[in-house]
Protein backbone atom coordinates (compact mmCIF):
# COMPACT_ATOMS: atom_id res chain seq x y z
CA UNK A 1 0.00 0.00 0.00
CA UNK A 2 1.39 3.41 -1.00
CA UNK A 3 1.51 6.46 1.29
CA UNK A 4 -1.21 8.04 -0.85
CA UNK A 5 -3.43 4.96 -0.41
CA UNK A 6 -2.93 5.07 3.36
CA UNK A 7 -3.89 8.73 3.45
CA UNK A 8 -7.04 8.09 1.42
CA UNK A 9 -7.95 5.16 3.67
CA UNK A 10 -7.59 7.36 6.74
CA UNK A 11 -9.82 10.07 5.28
CA UNK A 12 -12.43 7.48 4.32
CA UNK A 13 -12.40 6.16 7.88
CA UNK A 14 -13.40 9.59 9.12
CA UNK A 15 -10.17 10.22 11.02
CA UNK A 16 -8.53 13.66 10.99
CA UNK A 17 -5.79 14.68 8.58
CA UNK A 18 -3.07 15.84 10.93
CA UNK A 19 -1.65 18.25 8.39
CA UNK A 20 -4.64 20.49 9.04
CA UNK A 21 -4.36 23.35 11.52
CA UNK A 22 -7.14 22.13 13.83
CA UNK A 23 -7.98 18.52 14.67
CA UNK A 24 -10.63 16.90 16.83
CA UNK A 25 -8.72 15.40 19.72
CA UNK A 26 -7.76 16.09 23.31
CA UNK A 27 -4.10 16.46 24.23
CA UNK A 28 -3.12 15.36 27.74
CA UNK A 29 0.27 16.52 28.96
CA UNK A 30 1.52 13.81 31.32
CA UNK A 31 0.96 10.10 31.63
CA UNK A 32 1.42 9.33 35.34
CA UNK A 33 -1.19 7.54 37.45
CA UNK A 34 -3.55 10.51 37.93
CA UNK A 35 -3.20 11.57 34.32
CA UNK A 36 -3.83 7.99 33.23
CA UNK A 37 -7.06 7.89 35.21
CA UNK A 38 -8.24 10.91 33.23
CA UNK A 39 -6.99 9.50 29.92
CA UNK A 40 -8.69 6.16 30.57
CA UNK A 41 -12.03 7.88 31.26
CA UNK A 42 -11.75 10.03 28.15
CA UNK A 43 -10.99 6.97 26.05
CA UNK A 44 -13.93 5.05 27.49
CA UNK A 45 -16.20 8.01 26.77
CA UNK A 46 -15.18 8.03 23.11
CA UNK A 47 -12.67 10.88 22.99
CA UNK A 48 -9.56 10.69 20.84
CA UNK A 49 -6.58 11.41 23.06
CA UNK A 50 -2.93 12.16 22.40
CA UNK A 51 -0.56 11.87 25.38
CA UNK A 52 2.53 14.08 25.53
CA UNK A 53 5.14 12.79 27.96
CA UNK A 54 8.68 13.53 29.07
CA UNK A 55 11.57 11.54 27.65
CA UNK A 56 12.30 9.91 31.01
CA UNK A 57 9.08 9.70 33.04
CA UNK A 58 9.46 9.01 36.76
CA UNK A 59 6.08 7.45 37.53
CA UNK A 60 5.84 5.54 40.82
CA UNK A 61 2.55 3.69 40.25
CA UNK A 62 3.85 2.19 37.02
CA UNK A 63 1.21 -0.54 36.75
CA UNK A 64 -1.44 2.12 36.13
CA UNK A 65 0.60 4.70 34.21
CA UNK A 66 0.48 5.08 30.44
CA UNK A 67 3.86 6.82 30.73
CA UNK A 68 5.51 3.38 30.77
CA UNK A 69 4.97 3.26 27.00
CA UNK A 70 7.92 5.66 26.68
CA UNK A 71 10.20 2.82 27.79
CA UNK A 72 8.35 -0.30 26.66
CA UNK A 73 6.68 0.93 23.50
CA UNK A 74 3.22 0.22 24.89
CA UNK A 75 1.40 0.26 28.22
CA UNK A 76 -1.89 -1.30 29.35
CA UNK A 77 -4.06 0.29 32.04
CA UNK A 78 -7.25 -1.59 32.87
CA UNK A 79 -7.52 -3.06 29.40
CA UNK A 80 -6.70 0.13 27.48
CA UNK A 81 -3.52 0.31 25.40
CA UNK A 82 -1.27 3.33 24.87
CA UNK A 83 1.37 3.02 22.17
CA UNK A 84 4.44 5.18 21.71
CA UNK A 85 4.64 6.99 18.39
CA UNK A 86 7.48 8.99 16.88
CA UNK A 87 5.44 11.75 15.20
CA UNK A 88 1.89 13.11 15.22
CA UNK A 89 1.40 11.72 11.72
CA UNK A 90 1.07 8.31 13.40
CA UNK A 91 -1.89 9.38 15.56
CA UNK A 92 -4.57 8.41 13.07
CA UNK A 93 -3.20 4.89 12.75
CA UNK A 94 -3.27 4.45 16.54
CA UNK A 95 -6.80 5.85 16.87
CA UNK A 96 -8.02 3.62 14.05
CA UNK A 97 -6.58 0.61 15.91
CA UNK A 98 -8.41 1.61 19.09
CA UNK A 99 -5.18 2.65 20.80
CA UNK A 100 -4.01 5.85 22.50
CA UNK A 101 -0.94 7.43 20.88
CA UNK A 102 1.82 8.66 23.20
CA UNK A 103 4.53 11.03 22.02
CA UNK A 104 7.68 11.93 23.98
CA UNK A 105 7.36 15.70 23.60
CA UNK A 106 7.62 17.46 26.98
CA UNK A 107 7.82 20.90 25.37
CA UNK A 108 4.66 20.24 23.30
CA UNK A 109 6.61 21.23 20.17
CA UNK A 110 4.20 19.28 17.96
CA UNK A 111 1.49 21.80 18.81
CA UNK A 112 3.31 24.56 16.94
CA UNK A 113 1.88 23.11 13.74
CA UNK A 114 -1.67 22.23 14.78
CA UNK A 115 -4.23 22.87 17.49
CA UNK A 116 -6.45 20.29 19.23
CA UNK A 117 -9.90 20.93 20.69
CA UNK A 118 -8.60 20.83 24.21
CA UNK A 119 -5.43 20.56 26.29
CA UNK A 120 -5.26 19.06 29.77
CA UNK A 121 -2.14 19.68 31.83
CA UNK A 122 -1.90 16.58 34.01
CA UNK A 123 1.85 16.72 34.68
CA UNK A 124 1.20 17.41 38.38
CA UNK A 125 4.47 19.32 38.69
CA UNK A 126 2.86 21.78 41.14
CA UNK A 127 3.93 24.52 38.73
CA UNK A 128 3.22 25.51 35.16
CA UNK A 129 5.69 23.96 32.71
CA UNK A 130 4.41 25.86 29.70
CA UNK A 131 0.68 25.27 29.29
CA UNK A 132 -1.29 28.34 28.25
CA UNK A 133 -4.69 29.28 26.86
CA UNK A 134 -3.31 29.84 23.37
CA UNK A 135 -2.72 26.10 22.96
CA UNK A 136 -6.37 25.21 22.38
CA UNK A 137 -9.92 26.60 22.54
CA UNK A 138 -10.29 24.84 25.91
CA UNK A 139 -7.51 24.40 28.47
CA UNK A 140 -7.66 22.56 31.80
CA UNK A 141 -5.01 22.08 34.47
CA UNK A 142 -4.93 19.63 37.36
CA UNK A 143 -3.73 20.85 40.73
CA UNK A 144 -1.71 23.84 41.95
CA UNK A 145 0.54 26.05 39.86
CA UNK A 146 -2.16 27.46 37.56
CA UNK A 147 -4.69 30.27 37.78
CA UNK A 148 -8.07 29.58 36.21
CA UNK A 149 -9.06 32.35 33.83
CA UNK A 150 -5.46 33.43 33.36
CA UNK A 151 -3.10 30.52 32.65
CA UNK A 152 -5.89 28.12 31.68
CA UNK A 153 -9.68 28.15 31.44
CA UNK A 154 -10.30 25.70 34.30
CA UNK A 155 -8.38 24.18 37.20
CA UNK A 156 -9.40 20.95 38.93
CA UNK A 157 -8.62 20.49 42.63
CA UNK A 158 -6.36 17.48 43.29
CA UNK A 159 -5.93 17.64 47.07
CA UNK A 160 -7.75 14.91 48.95
CA UNK A 161 -10.61 16.10 51.13
CA UNK A 162 -13.94 17.82 50.74
CA UNK A 163 -12.92 19.77 47.62
CA UNK A 164 -11.24 16.95 45.67
CA UNK A 165 -12.36 17.22 42.05
CA UNK A 166 -13.88 20.67 42.47
CA UNK A 167 -13.93 22.66 39.22
CA UNK A 168 -12.34 26.08 39.65
CA UNK A 169 -13.26 28.84 37.20
CA UNK A 170 -11.41 31.66 38.98
CA UNK A 171 -8.31 31.39 41.11
CA UNK A 172 -6.07 28.46 41.98
CA UNK A 173 -6.13 25.02 43.52
CA UNK A 174 -4.99 24.60 47.10
CA UNK A 175 -1.20 24.90 47.46
CA UNK A 176 0.90 21.76 47.73
CA UNK A 177 1.49 20.88 51.39
CA UNK A 178 4.05 18.17 50.71
CA UNK A 179 2.08 15.88 53.05
CA UNK A 180 0.73 12.69 51.46
CA UNK A 181 -2.92 11.81 51.89
CA UNK A 182 -3.83 9.59 54.82
CA UNK A 183 -4.32 5.88 54.04
CA UNK A 184 -5.42 3.65 56.93
CA UNK A 185 -4.20 6.29 59.37
CA UNK A 186 -0.75 6.58 57.77
CA UNK A 187 0.48 9.65 55.89
CA UNK A 188 4.16 10.67 55.67
CA UNK A 189 5.49 7.22 56.54
CA UNK A 190 3.93 5.49 53.54
CA UNK A 191 5.92 7.55 51.00
CA UNK A 192 9.63 6.83 50.56
CA UNK A 193 12.15 9.38 49.31
CA UNK A 194 15.60 8.63 47.99
CA UNK A 195 18.25 8.70 50.71
CA UNK A 196 20.99 9.56 48.21
CA UNK A 197 21.76 10.63 44.67
CA UNK A 198 22.56 8.03 42.03
CA UNK A 199 21.21 5.14 39.96
CA UNK A 200 18.51 3.06 41.65
CA UNK A 201 18.68 -0.73 41.61
CA UNK A 202 15.22 -2.03 42.50
CA UNK A 203 15.06 -5.26 44.55
CA UNK A 204 11.30 -5.53 45.14
CA UNK A 205 8.32 -5.67 42.78
CA UNK A 206 5.14 -3.63 42.79
CA UNK A 207 2.41 -5.53 44.72
CA UNK A 208 4.97 -7.32 46.92
CA UNK A 209 4.10 -7.62 50.59
CA UNK A 210 6.97 -5.92 52.43
CA UNK A 211 7.97 -5.53 56.05
CA UNK A 212 9.22 -2.45 57.81
CA UNK A 213 13.00 -2.24 57.46
CA UNK A 214 13.13 -4.52 54.40
CA UNK A 215 15.51 -3.38 51.67
CA UNK A 216 13.48 -2.39 48.61
CA UNK A 217 16.30 -0.99 46.49
CA UNK A 218 19.77 0.50 46.48
CA UNK A 219 20.76 3.96 45.33
CA UNK A 220 24.40 3.37 44.58
CA UNK A 221 25.55 1.63 47.77
CA UNK A 222 22.84 3.18 49.96
CA UNK A 223 19.93 0.87 50.86
CA UNK A 224 16.32 2.04 50.52
CA UNK A 225 14.29 0.49 53.34
CA UNK A 226 10.57 0.07 53.78
CA UNK A 227 9.31 2.66 56.25
CA UNK A 228 6.22 0.63 57.14
CA UNK A 229 4.84 -2.85 56.48
CA UNK A 230 2.27 -3.27 53.75
CA UNK A 231 1.88 -3.59 49.99
CA UNK A 232 4.46 -1.96 47.74
CA UNK A 233 1.99 0.17 45.80
CA UNK A 234 4.58 1.75 43.54
CA UNK A 235 8.31 2.12 43.01
CA UNK A 236 10.28 4.04 40.41
CA UNK A 237 11.70 2.18 37.44
CA UNK A 238 14.91 0.21 37.88
CA UNK A 239 17.97 2.06 36.58
CA UNK A 240 16.47 5.54 36.99
CA UNK A 241 18.86 8.30 38.05
CA UNK A 242 17.39 9.82 41.20
CA UNK A 243 18.29 12.73 43.39
CA UNK A 244 18.38 12.85 47.17
CA UNK A 245 14.90 13.50 48.52
CA UNK A 246 13.11 12.43 45.33
CA UNK A 247 9.90 10.45 45.82
CA UNK A 248 10.70 6.90 44.70
CA UNK A 249 8.21 4.51 46.34
CA UNK A 250 4.81 4.25 48.01
CA UNK A 251 3.58 1.62 50.48
CA UNK A 252 -0.07 0.92 51.23
CA UNK A 253 -0.40 -0.27 54.86
CA UNK A 254 -3.52 -2.28 53.94
CA UNK A 255 -2.10 -5.69 52.95
CA UNK A 256 -5.52 -6.86 51.83
CA UNK A 257 -5.63 -4.16 49.15
CA UNK A 258 -2.96 -5.74 46.94
CA UNK A 259 -5.24 -5.68 43.87
CA UNK A 260 -5.28 -1.88 44.02
CA UNK A 261 -1.76 -1.84 42.59
CA UNK A 262 -3.28 -2.72 39.22
CA UNK A 263 -6.30 -0.41 39.18
CA UNK A 264 -6.94 3.31 38.83
CA UNK A 265 -7.33 5.06 42.18
CA UNK A 266 -10.46 6.65 43.59
CA UNK A 267 -8.69 10.01 43.45
CA UNK A 268 -7.91 9.67 39.74
CA UNK A 269 -11.48 8.59 38.97
CA UNK A 270 -12.90 11.58 40.81
CA UNK A 271 -10.66 14.02 38.94
CA UNK A 272 -11.46 12.29 35.64
CA UNK A 273 -15.17 12.83 36.18
CA UNK A 274 -14.61 16.56 36.65
CA UNK A 275 -12.60 16.76 33.42
CA UNK A 276 -15.37 15.05 31.45
CA UNK A 277 -17.90 17.42 33.02
CA UNK A 278 -15.91 20.41 31.81
CA UNK A 279 -15.61 19.04 28.28
CA UNK A 280 -19.32 18.33 27.98
CA UNK A 281 -20.33 21.65 29.52
CA UNK A 282 -18.15 23.41 26.94
CA UNK A 283 -19.69 21.44 24.10
CA UNK A 284 -16.66 19.26 23.37
CA UNK A 285 -18.39 16.01 22.50
CA UNK A 286 -16.85 12.54 22.16
CA UNK A 287 -15.24 11.90 18.82
CA UNK A 288 -16.59 8.39 18.20
Amino acid sequence: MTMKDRKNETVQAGLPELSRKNIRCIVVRGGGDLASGVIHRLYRCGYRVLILESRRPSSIRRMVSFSEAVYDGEAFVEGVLARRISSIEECSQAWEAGEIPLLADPEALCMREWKPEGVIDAILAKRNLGTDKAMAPLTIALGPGFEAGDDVDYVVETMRGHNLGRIITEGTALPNTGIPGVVAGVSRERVIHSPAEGIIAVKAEIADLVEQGQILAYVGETPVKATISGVLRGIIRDGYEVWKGMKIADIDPRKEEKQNCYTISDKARCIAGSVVEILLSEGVRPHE
Side-chain angles (χ1 to χ4, degrees):
M1 182 182 290
T2 66
M3 290 297 292
K4 183 177 181 180
D5 290 334
R6 289 194 184 96
K7 182 177 179 182
N8 289 337
E9 186 179 78
T10 297
V11 172
Q12 290 168 7
L15 295 174
E17 291 184 75
L18 293 175
S19 58
R20 294 175 180 172
K21 179 76 173 172
N22 302 302
I23 65 169
R24 293 196 67 212
C25 84
I26 304 297
V27 166
V28 179
R29 301 190 69 191
D33 66 301
L34 290 183
S36 295
V38 172
I39 294 161
H40 191 279
R41 180 71 60 84
L42 293 176
Y43 174 90
R44 292 291 301 274
C45 288
Y47 288 95
R48 281 193 295 266
V49 181
L50 168 62
I51 306 168
L52 301 183
E53 247 297 353
S54 68
R55 294 177 181 84
R56 293 182 66 250
S58 57
S59 299
I60 304 299
R61 294 200 65 214
R62 294 181 286 111
M63 297 295 102
V64 287
S65 296
F66 287 123
S67 60
E68 287 297 282
V70 171
Y71 300 105
D72 300 330
E74 60 182 36
F76 280 95
V77 175
E78 292 197 21
V80 175
L81 173 66
R83 185 178 302 281
R84 180 171 181 171
I85 60 174
S86 57
S87 68
I88 60 169
E89 284 72 29
E90 299 175 49
C91 283
S92 292
Q93 184 178 354
W95 291 328
E96 188 175 24
E99 301 167 349
I100 302 173
L102 179 149
L103 183 65
D105 182 11
E107 299 88 8
L109 299 178
C110 67
M111 294 180 61
R112 292 179 179 178
E113 303 299 326
W114 55 275
K115 185 176 291 187
E117 284 186 292
V119 170
I120 302 165
D121 190 306
I123 300 172
L124 278 300
K126 313 299 190 297
R127 57 193 177 95
N128 190 343
L129 297 180
T131 298
D132 62 69
K133 292 172 70 175
M135 285 182 163
L138 177 62
T139 51
I140 303 167
L142 309 184
F146 302 86
E147 183 166 351
D150 186 6
D151 301 312
V152 292
D153 297 300
Y154 294 92
V155 171
V156 178
E157 182 59 66
T158 58
M159 184 176 289
R160 286 190 181 274
H162 182 76
N163 289 315
L164 176 63
R166 184 176 293 278
I167 296 170
I168 301 166
T169 57
E170 292 183 3
T172 64
L174 293 171
N176 180 38
T177 63
I179 302 174
V182 177
V183 175
V186 181
S187 176
R188 291 182 186 274
E189 297 86 353
R190 69 179 182 83
V191 174
I192 299 173
H193 297 85
S194 178
E197 177 181 327
I199 305 297
I200 190 167
V202 175
K203 301 301 180 182
E205 300 290 337
I206 292 174
D208 280 356
L209 296 178
V210 300
E211 298 297 327
Q212 185 176 13
Q214 178 180 333
I215 295 177
L216 305 178
Y218 286 91
V219 178
E221 301 297 323
T222 306
V224 177
K225 297 181 179 181
T227 48
I228 60 172
S229 298
V231 179
L232 186 59
R233 188 166 175 254
I235 190 165
I236 202 166
R237 194 177 183 89
D238 183 62
Y240 200 91
E241 185 174 359
V242 302
W243 62 85
K244 186 175 182 179
M246 180 179 180
K247 180 181 175 181
I248 56 173
D250 182 0
I251 298 174
D252 189 330
R254 303 166 297 178
K255 293 185 177 182
E256 70 278 7
E257 300 294 336
K258 184 174 181 176
Q259 71 277 6
N260 291 355
C261 297
Y262 306 102
T263 57
I264 296 166
S265 70
D266 55 343
K267 180 177 180 178
R269 294 185 194 280
C270 177
I271 293 167
S274 298
V275 170
V276 173
E277 179 182 337
I278 294 170
L279 292 175
L280 293 176
S281 69
E282 289 288 339
V284 181
R285 303 299 174 187
H287 305 126
E288 300 173 357

